[in-house]
Amino acid sequence: MNLPVDLPLNQPVAQDLTGRVALVTGANTGIGRITARELARRGAEVFLATRSLARTQPALDEIAQLTGRPGAHWLELDLADFASVRACAQRFLASGRPLHLLVNNAGLGGQRGLSRDGLELTFGVNHMGHFLLTQLLRERLVASAPARVVTVASRAHQWAPGLDWAELRRPTRSLTGIREYMVSKLANVLFSAELGRQLAGSGVSSYAVHPGVVDTEIWRQVPRLLRPLLKLRGLRDPEQGAQTTLYCALQAPQHETGCYYADSALKTPSKLAQDQRLAAELWRFSEQILS
Ligand SMILES: NC(=O)c1ccc[n+]([C@@H]2O[C@H](COP(=O)([O-])OP(=O)(O)OC[C@H]3O[C@@H](n4cnc5c(N)ncnc54)[C@H](OP(=O)(O)O)[C@@H]3O)[C@@H](O)[C@H]2O)c1
């Protein structure tokens, strides 16, 4: 039976996540903010991992107001900086809490540059930061099983030309940063599938998500003149945009681990995204960077 994941705010929630612990990256705004709020509303203890407490306070306040209890915590996390990712994971692990749900949601698009550790900026944040975070929390996830990892990817992965290992170590090349965004989202889908394979039988399942085209701050770099084009593509509000993440966090069958979802249903990702050898190669490359 499908449980409703898009309950109106004024309705009581049926699903009880009391005793469950979740960590959501990029939870101060957009899809991540709604995801964190909805998990907290169902009783989960939620950690909001973001770059700025000031920008996260409204989300923390909203959760406290809706749930009538503090129940949500802030963790500092800059995914463009391995030291920050390590400190964030360390702080979470030191809390002694189990971890039942990790939502790798944060992401940027249309920006150019290099991460603190010398990677193409979008790849560094969208893939490498989350790769490291997941690796550091992996043991805790396994110890807390049944547990889930949901990685917010994008349908844009299907236009990625492939993974050019040398280019991933250089500053953003394209003028718009859009090609690099597609590449980072291909990496998200490959990572999620490989994680699912590696954790098979552990009780930890892994899902990659396309949330739809959602009206969030991710489009802040898109010139205003082009924004009406997004509307033509059926722009969703963040509440709608969080539904597939919540579906994978709460309901998707465990045996569908490693799969890719859109509109709360299984979808087939691109051919490249299904390439197990490429996924294994990306994993080795990511490990090499960290070593
Ligand atoms: N919106 C869409 O149409 C769409 C479509 C497909 C996929 N997605 C994916 O959905 C996910 C959520 O995006 P959204 O649409 O909700 O966008 P958003 O409103 O821009 O939220 C993105 C979040 O990522 C955080 N972030 C960016 N760089 C970071 C860094 N270096 N370290 C830590 N956090 C960082 C942002 O923090 P700050 O507020 O501090 O910048 C923000 O919390 C992303 O992975 C995105 O690629 C979105």
Side-chain angles (χ1 to χ4, degrees):
M1 182 192 72
N2 273 6
L3 294 163
V5 290
D6 57 348
L7 280 172
L9 280 180
N10 55 3
Q11 272 187 29
V13 286
Q15 204 164 8
D16 186 8
L17 299 179
T18 306
R20 313 293 287 169
V21 181
L23 191 160
V24 183
T25 69
N28 57 299
T29 185
I31 296 164
R33 176 170 176 170
I34 305 294
T35 302
R37 187 196 73 199
E38 288 306 301
L39 295 169
R41 213 153 65 89
R42 287 161 173 78
E45 184 176 7
V46 184
F47 287 77
L48 285 70
T50 74
R51 286 193 281 196
S52 144
L53 176 58
R55 274 173 59 72
T56 310
Q57 197 60 54
L60 294 165
D61 292 344
E62 185 186 28
I63 289 174
Q65 199 193 350
L66 274 171
T67 60
R69 59 190 163 78
H73 315 272
W74 178 66
L75 288 172
E76 184 169 14
L77 172 68
D78 181 353
L79 288 157
D81 178 358
F82 292 158
S84 169
V85 177
R86 289 200 169 93
C88 173
Q90 202 42 54
R91 271 197 306 279
F92 177 80
L93 294 172
S95 77
R97 304 283 206 293
L99 183 58
H100 304 103
L101 176 63
L102 169 63
V103 185
N104 290 326
N105 162 82
L108 57 82
Q111 294 185 41
R112 309 183 71 240
L114 209 56
S115 76
R116 181 83 48 105
D117 308 281
L119 295 162
E120 190 287 315
L121 181 63
T122 314
F123 177 81
V125 170
N126 295 3
H127 168 68
M128 271 312 298
H130 282 128
F131 177 85
L132 175 58
L133 184 67
T134 308
Q135 287 292 72
L136 294 168
L137 298 176
R138 184 171 167 153
E139 243 177 66
R140 183 63 57 88
L141 283 159
V142 172
S144 314
R148 291 171 183 235
V149 179
V150 180
T151 299
V152 184
S154 167
R155 192 162 53 122
H157 81 271
Q158 67 191 33
W159 298 294
L163 300 176
D164 178 329
W165 310 114
E167 213 159 85
L168 296 175
R169 292 179 184 268
R170 288 199 286 259
T172 315
R173 253 181 136 177
S174 78
L175 278 181
T176 57
I178 289 173
R179 186 160 55 91
E180 286 77 2
Y181 179 74
M182 294 166 180
V183 166
S184 76
K185 291 293 146 181
L186 172 63
N188 284 158
V189 183
L190 288 165
F191 159 74
S192 179
E194 178 62 23
L195 186 70
R197 280 187 286 276
Q198 292 191 13
L199 290 175
S202 71
V204 182
S205 39
S206 167
Y207 309 90
V209 165
H210 168 59
V213 183
V214 190
D215 191 3
T216 65
E217 293 182 32
I218 196 120
W219 304 110
R220 61 193 117 178
Q221 304 296 327
V222 175
R224 281 197 181 279
L225 272 174
L226 294 180
R227 292 189 192 173
L229 289 179
L230 296 173
K231 292 232 161 72
L232 289 178
R233 304 208 54 196
L235 204 60
R236 300 172 180 190
D237 65 30
E239 309 271 341
Q240 297 165 321
Q243 294 312 309
T244 305
T245 300
L246 288 166
Y247 175 79
C248 289
L250 303 174
Q251 291 174 239
Q254 288 230 337
H255 66 265
E256 286 176 4
T257 183
C259 292
Y260 171 72
Y261 280 82
D263 296 323
S264 301
L266 263 184
K267 292 279 150 61
T268 306
S270 72
K271 236 178 153 178
L272 267 183
Q274 294 174 61
D275 184 336
Q276 293 193 19
R277 275 185 32 200
L278 186 61
E281 224 175 318
L282 171 66
W283 198 278
R284 279 194 300 276
F285 175 80
S286 308
E287 280 180 335
Q288 241 172 42
I289 285 171
L290 294 175
S291 65

